[in-house]
Amino acid sequence: MEVSSAALAALSGLGFGLSLIVAIGAQNAFVLRQGVRGQHVFAVVAVCALSDIVLIGAGVGGFGVVVQSAPEVVTVVRYAGAAFLLGYAVLAARRAFAASALTAGSTGATVALGATIATSLALTWLNPHVYLDTVVLLGSFANTYTSPDRWFLGAGAMLGSVVWFTALGYGARLLGPLFARPVAWRVLDSGIAVVMTLLALGLLLAGPSV
């Protein structure tokens, strides 16, 4: 049976979208940690997935041209994102090496829902790579398709984001037995601190973004 062009476009979008988000990064590290802790998982997954949906829609709709024509905006986001990542890295390092490390069976103090959502938004929208990858790169790829197929491609990419963040956030609970030991939390937060620091340095040392 012949597969329709719309279905092929959606599958291409699904694969392309997953290739952009399935990687070690600040956003994924945060979703993973919240999933392991079991705190505000739905809110974190929803914020990340909905943000991706908006950005993908903007890219498919041609907003990538606007981003490319305003490199100074991406530069501002780059420095703001680097500052936020360094700050989060310090917090993660403090958690990892604090004298009051997590005790076995504990997930630590619950962070307020508002603060958790704000962190999710910052890790998403203060990341210049979100605009360059999701809006410009995916948007450029989508615009090689004719309408309405490019919107089916966008829908496939959106589905990929929803599936990925849902799987990461709720699948992290399977690691619960491992994180019953305090040393596992130390390792996780140490890793997050390193990832955040490297990403921040990468942003600071990067040349012109667009």
Side-chain angles (χ1 to χ4, degrees), residues 13 15 29 38 69 74 84 155:
S69 65
V74 178
F84 182 84

Side-chain angles (χ1 to χ4, degrees), residues 161-175:
S161 291
V162 173
V163 170
W164 169 252
F165 288 119
T166 301
L168 183 63
Y170 288 100
R173 292 182 177 181
L174 299 176
L175 299 175

Side-chain angles (χ1 to χ4, degrees), residues 69-123:
S69 65
E72 63 279 359
V73 175
V74 178
T75 299
V76 171
V77 172
R78 176 158 61 92
Y79 285 110
F84 182 84
L85 289 174
L86 285 174
Y88 195 90
V90 170
L91 293 177
R94 289 180 61 185
R95 287 196 304 264
F97 298 105
S100 56
L102 296 175
T103 57
S106 171
T107 58
T110 300
V111 179
L113 176 60
T116 301
I117 291 176
T119 301
S120 301
L121 290 170
L123 289 173

Side-chain angles (χ1 to χ4, degrees), residues 46 55 73 78 94 108 135 141 167 174 180 188 207 209:
L55 290 163
V73 175
R78 176 158 61 92
R94 289 180 61 185
V135 178
F141 179 63
L174 299 176
L188 176 63
S209 298

Side-chain angles (χ1 to χ4, degrees), residues 171-187:
R173 292 182 177 181
L174 299 176
L175 299 175
L178 173 63
F179 285 91
R181 297 179 297 172
V183 66
W185 286 100
R186 288 187 183 276
V187 171

Side-chain angles (χ1 to χ4, degrees), residues 24-52:
I24 297 174
Q27 187 185 51
N28 285 340
F30 182 72
V31 175
L32 176 64
R33 191 176 196 281
Q34 291 301 117
V36 172
R37 298 179 75 193
Q39 295 181 1
H40 309 309
V41 179
F42 177 79
V44 171
V45 169
V47 167
C48 293
L50 289 174
S51 294
D52 256 20

